[in-house]
Amino acid sequence: MGWTYQPKSLEKHTDSILGWASALWSLSYYSSPLLLCYLYRKGYICSSKLVPVSQYVGTVMVCLLGVACLRGWGRWRNSEYQQFISILEETRKNHTPSNKKKLACYDFDFSHWPADFSWEEVSNPKLLSKAGVSLLKPEPKLRGAADRVLNSLRTLPCHIVSFLIAHSFGRRMLYPGSVYLLQRAMRPMLQQGQARLIEEFEGQRNKLVACDGNEIDTMFVDRRRDEGQHGQTLVICCEGNAGFYEVGCMNTPLEGGYSVLGWNHPGFAGSTGVPFPQNEANAMDVVIQFAVHKLGFQLSDIVVYAWSIGGFTASWAVMSYPEIQALVLDASFDDLLPLALKVMPDSWRPLVTHTVRQYMNLNSADQLCKYQGPVLLIRRTKDEIITTTGPEDIMSNRGNNLLLKLLQFRYPKVMTDDGVRAIRAWLAASNHVEEAAVYSSYEVDDDWCVSVLQSYKTEGDVFFPWSVGEDMTLEGRRQLALFLARKYMRNFDSTHCTPLPYSEFAAPWRL
């Protein structure tokens, strides 16, 4: 068992002062627009007022520098801290497994942790754009050269405002876990979670360097030597917008005996950068490269499991690496835009639409439709986050749209208006009893559905979309649509943030 480092009196008090100073600076940074407006209205933003203020700020900075020096002096006098520094320096000079094992006994600022794996080790930087890996983007509208110039000039103000929104409060609203104040408040919980993963599950912490230079904090639990049947399968976990691997969805596959690899979004805890879609995809890419080239897993041995907004990186992963064994999406949505419009004023609709599509285009459904493998969607029946009206309206859950878009792509001949209507009736059921009632009312014959699909798979093309259902009766298409919906989606009677128990975590259906 580990223990908490006990600083001596001088280090303890100086570290507390610097911590409060950091928190106040962060609070001032986030409230700076309101603060500047207030100071401007009071007439404080002028040379006669700013000069004495700058003098006070300079004095405070000098004092904080002195406090930092005193903290360093306190640490230098602590033998336990000196031992840690010597191990850290030795690991930097000679990054061997034995030195890393010694270093892993300590929890410290992750920016000083030596890199364990870099994207450049296995990929050629010349093959990438400056931004990083490729994203799925909407096709541009065809315009003449003159029209493009005029349209660019006309929409320039909108582009500027969208950029400011996305890079200020927009990103922080979308990913609150990247806000320093929240991370500071959660630090004790994160430290406990990390200690549990290392001490109870022998977790291995690693720093990965993505193609954009961001450092990604990961945790790997290896179960390949265990006797269980799931240890040879690696589950890569993608967390939500305020989730961290220390206290996130890693625990669900861990209960089932799987090997598990968790990682934090860029800007979350030990990871650097900001969580824009491009940075998210870059991080996901280096995580997969690390799993294959450093941990030794085959893509066919990897299952990607995502919760909430993690569905974007998970769907990108299976789109980009189609050999991945399967995908499990829990409480995920099809597209960010409807959810963004829900929380913003109606008068902002054009601006919100442009901002999301330009800077935060989390188009999970489009990416998911590029994947040919098994998929399981888990819908929370009391979800209050990804519904566009409220948790009581289960039909406004965007997980419904994710299911419909996937089935419409894979089985277009089955998903006619009648097939969609039958699935909507099933989706409107809020509990297992109502689900069963809808299912039985359509007299679905599971054995017949399986035989039809198997027959088509044997005789026809194995790649989606399938033309099965083309010459089928109306009743047959309805039966097949409901059968497929129940195989692709499971309901979990819970709210959005309730941890998923392992009993609800299942391998996706395979024909």
Side-chain angles (χ1 to χ4, degrees), residues 267-425:
F268 282 50
S271 297
T272 63
V274 289
F276 281 109
Q278 183 66 65
N279 307 107
E280 288 278 289
N282 294 342
M284 184 79 243
D285 184 65
V286 76
V287 168
I288 295 175
Q289 297 280 8
F290 173 71
V292 172
H293 296 283
K294 198 68 177 281
L295 301 181
F297 287 92
Q298 300 294 320
L299 287 172
S300 57
D301 296 327
I302 295 175
V303 173
V304 180
Y305 166 49
W307 172 63
S308 190
I309 208 170
F312 171 74
T313 47
S315 58
W316 179 90
V318 295
M319 174 187 73
S320 304
Y321 295 90
E323 302 91 347
I324 285 176
Q325 181 187 130
L327 173 67
V328 179
L329 297 180
D330 175 22
S332 289
F333 51 85
D334 61 321
D335 188 10
L336 176 65
L337 184 58
L339 299 172
L341 292 172
K342 176 187 75 169
V343 299
M344 302 302 287
D346 287 339
S347 58
W348 287 32
R349 177 178 286 268
L351 181 61
V352 172
T353 301
H354 183 271
T355 303
V356 169
R357 289 289 177 247
Q358 193 70 28
Y359 299 103
M360 303 172 178
N361 191 28
L362 305 186
N363 50 347
S364 301
D366 295 337
Q367 295 182 154
L368 181 59
C369 289
K370 301 291 184 181
Y371 178 55
Q372 296 284 326
V375 177
L376 173 65
L377 308 179
I378 300 173
R379 182 181 66 161
R380 309 291 184 104
T381 57
K382 298 176 182 176
D383 202 308
E384 72 283 13
I385 302 298
I386 64 167
T387 49
T388 52
T389 55
E392 67 283 347
D393 182 13
I394 196 171
M395 288 306 292
S396 70
N397 188 312
R398 296 305 299 187
N400 301 336
N401 303 76
L402 186 60
L403 172 69
L404 289 171
K405 288 178 181 179
L406 178 61
L407 293 182
Q408 284 170 335
F409 170 77
R410 292 191 169 190
Y411 312 97
K413 304 301 181 181
V414 174
M415 297 297 290
T416 58
D417 291 342
D418 292 292
V420 172
R421 198 175 297 116
I423 290 179
R424 287 191 180 278

Side-chain angles (χ1 to χ4, degrees), residues 23-84:
L24 288 173
W25 166 254
S26 182
L27 186 62
S28 302
Y29 173 77
Y30 292 123
S31 60
S32 58
L34 297 175
L35 188 62
L36 287 173
C37 290
Y38 174 79
L39 293 175
Y40 178 78
R41 292 187 64 181
K42 291 293 183 179
Y44 290 122
I45 302 181
C46 59
S47 58
S48 60
K49 300 286 186 179
L50 290 177
V51 170
V53 169
S54 63
Q55 291 175 344
Y56 290 135
V57 171
T59 302
V60 171
M61 295 298 292
V62 171
C63 291
L64 290 176
L65 180 62
V67 171
C69 291
L70 287 174
R71 184 178 67 172
W73 170 255
R75 287 176 172 176
W76 184 74
R77 295 178 60 191
N78 190 321
S79 59
E80 191 175 338
Y81 195 86
Q82 284 186 334
Q83 182 183 8
F84 157 67

